[in-house]
Amino acid sequence: MLVWLFGWLGQYYTPFSAVSSLTLRALLAVITALVFSMFFGGRVIQHLRALKYGQAIRNDGPQSHLVKTGTPTMGGVLILSAIGVSTLLWARLNNPYVWILLVVMVIFGAVGWADDWLKIKYKDPKGLIARKKYFWLSMGALFVGVSLYYIATLQPDINTTHEMQDLLVPVFKDWMIPFSAVPFGIGFIIFTYFVINGASNAVNLTDGLDGLAILPVVLVAAGLGAMAYVSGDVRFADYLHVPYIPYNSEVIIVCGAMVGAGLGFLWFNAHPAQVFMGDVGALALGAMLGTIAVMTRQEIAFAIMSGLFVAEALSVMLQVGSYKLRKKRVFRMAPLHHHFEEIGWKETQVVTRFWIIAIILVILGLMTLKLR
């Protein structure tokens, strides 16, 4: 029923997807999202200023950040709009993976928007009540897990069905962790839940300095786009010993849109930032990256490429756990980027050095394709 619905929608709305070249459409998706972000960026910032949607800065954060109080936030609306427009223009909409990614963007973006709006309304950086926030984030992640499991079960080839659920282990050619062996897809769905929610919150935690999160998001999206291209082409998939999943061919269009939208937003988010993406952008972008990682069956490679996000999330977990158990802190301040600020690095140094690390990690993640 789900696949039929997506196919029916795709038949009646395919504006530019008739272009046969997938690579060309991916490049056009990048350009479209970039131009959209650049053209509307200034207007969105002016509108956010007029609405007085200024960022509420944490009282317990670095004192140097207090000058950022009042900088417009919720700029993630610009990123998500650019991704949505570009995807709808260039992707073939009879592909269920495209629609799943758009739904994820809307669900996680809506939760982030509510969180940002409450922070602005009450001038309180706490935002949405935690249990409500994680309930809706959980619903979004479970939607992805159930949808991907359902789509996998419709495959006529039993080997393809397994490959769309089992966890691929880099370096090894034929060794996969068999989530498909667990009845009713429970193992696959639970794993998908943690990947998506983990990625969403990790990107959100990283978004604490001007430009820090958005360029790594762009880099990881580009890396996942390459993996989607490989796994969506039977020749490359066979040559590189990765699962062939035909739906992934159109995922590269979404990845291209993320790259273009992210670069356009960076123009305004670079130090000193004119606008912050807020939770509306960070939660949605992280969830989309996690979803693409599951779709391509490259979760472990994704963890390598997203090592910066992983480190930021782990720093918070270690800090909280250590303080609760030992009443001692591991870092001077968490997340990790604040620790380096506290030991004397300038904000621009932290951002640039973290970008360099993100580039190296994405390269290492892509190298796993050839190490099999």
Side-chain angles (χ1 to χ4, degrees):
M1 181 66 179
L2 187 66
V3 175
W4 177 85
L5 176 61
F6 291 142
W8 180 81
L9 288 170
Q11 289 178 358
Y12 291 95
Y13 186 78
T14 54
F16 298 110
S17 62
V19 176
S20 59
S21 173
L22 177 62
T23 306
L24 177 59
R25 286 191 288 116
L27 292 174
L28 290 170
V30 174
I31 295 170
T32 301
L34 176 61
V35 171
F36 185 99
S37 298
M38 295 288 289
F39 182 79
F40 289 103
R43 294 167 174 78
V44 169
I45 293 171
Q46 290 178 1
H47 189 61
L48 291 173
R49 283 204 184 107
L51 293 173
K52 297 182 179 180
Y53 280 8
Q55 177 74 39
I57 304 298
R58 290 169 45 190
N59 294 326
D60 58 346
Q63 295 302 301
S64 60
H65 287 202
L66 295 178
V67 298
K68 301 181 181 185
T69 301
T71 301
T73 187
M74 298 179 73
V77 171
L78 173 66
I79 305 173
L80 303 188
S81 298
I83 294 172
V85 168
S86 185
T87 299
L88 291 173
L89 285 175
W90 298 110
R92 290 182 176 169
L93 301 182
N94 59 349
N95 187 312
Y97 278 16
V98 171
W99 285 105
I100 289 172
L101 285 167
L102 290 175
V103 171
V104 167
M105 183 182 75
V106 170
I107 293 175
F108 282 77
V111 174
W113 182 89
D115 197 29
D116 286 333
W117 187 79
L118 289 172
K119 290 176 183 177
I120 294 165
K121 181 179 180 180
Y122 297 106
K123 305 297 181 183
D124 184 354
K126 292 181 180 179
L128 190 64
I129 297 173
R131 66 175 181 272
K132 291 184 178 180
K133 180 177 181 179
Y134 288 107
F135 171 80
W136 289 110
L137 295 182
S138 297
M139 290 298 100
L142 289 173
F143 159 77
V144 176
V146 173
S147 297
L148 293 181
Y149 170 74
Y150 174 75
I151 292 171
T153 60
L154 296 179
Q155 302 309 305
D157 186 342
I158 189 65
N159 292 325
T160 302
T161 302
H162 288 175
E163 287 181 339
M164 291 178 71
Q165 298 178 58
D166 296 342
L167 175 62
L168 181 68
V169 179
V171 181
F172 300 97
K173 290 184 178 181
D174 301 313
W175 187 36
M176 303 178 75
I177 298 176
F179 285 134
S180 57
V182 182
F184 310 111
I186 294 175
F188 172 78
I189 293 170
I190 292 175
F191 182 71
T192 298
Y193 168 87
F194 282 110
V195 170
I196 295 173
N197 266 330
S200 179
N201 285 285
V203 172
N204 195 33
L205 290 171
T206 306
D207 183 35
L209 301 179
D210 297 351
L212 177 60
I214 191 60
L215 186 60
V217 165
V218 167
L219 294 170
V220 174
L224 288 174
M227 291 182 168
Y229 185 84
V230 167
S231 62
D233 188 297
V234 66
R235 297 163 299 173
F236 289 126
D238 181 65
Y239 174 69
L240 294 172
H241 299 280
V242 297
Y244 168 58
I245 304 172
Y247 295 126
N248 279 335
S249 59
E250 292 299 308
V251 171
I252 189 177
I253 306 300
V254 183
C255 292
M258 292 177 71
V259 169
L263 290 175
F265 180 76
L266 181 59
W267 182 271
F268 304 99
N269 186 234
H271 184 79
Q274 298 172 255
V275 65
F276 302 133
M277 75 167 75
D279 287 5
V280 62
L283 290 176
L285 291 173
M288 292 177 75
L289 291 177
T291 302
I292 296 169
V294 174
M295 288 174 169
T296 56
R297 310 309 301 134
Q298 295 288 348
E299 295 92 341
I300 296 178
F302 170 64
I304 296 172
M305 291 192 292
S306 301
L308 179 63
F309 301 137
V310 174
E312 294 273 20
L314 287 176
S315 69
V316 174
M317 294 169 64
L318 288 172
Q319 187 85 324
V320 173
S322 177
Y323 189 77
K324 285 186 176 181
L325 294 175
R326 305 186 304 147
K327 300 300 179 183
K328 294 182 180 179
R329 292 180 172 85
V330 178
F331 306 98
R332 291 194 180 184
M333 188 176 292
L336 190 60
H337 54 264
H338 289 326
H339 170 78
F340 287 102
E341 284 189 289
E342 290 296 302
I343 65 175
W345 290 16
K346 295 181 180 179
E347 179 175 352
T348 51
Q349 287 179 308
V350 177
V351 172
T352 304
R353 289 168 180 173
F354 276 34
W355 283 355
I356 294 170
I357 293 170
I359 293 170
I360 295 170
L361 290 171
V362 169
I363 293 172
L364 290 175
L366 289 172
M367 285 174 59
T368 62
L369 287 174
K370 284 295 291 179
L371 289 177
R372 290 185 177 84

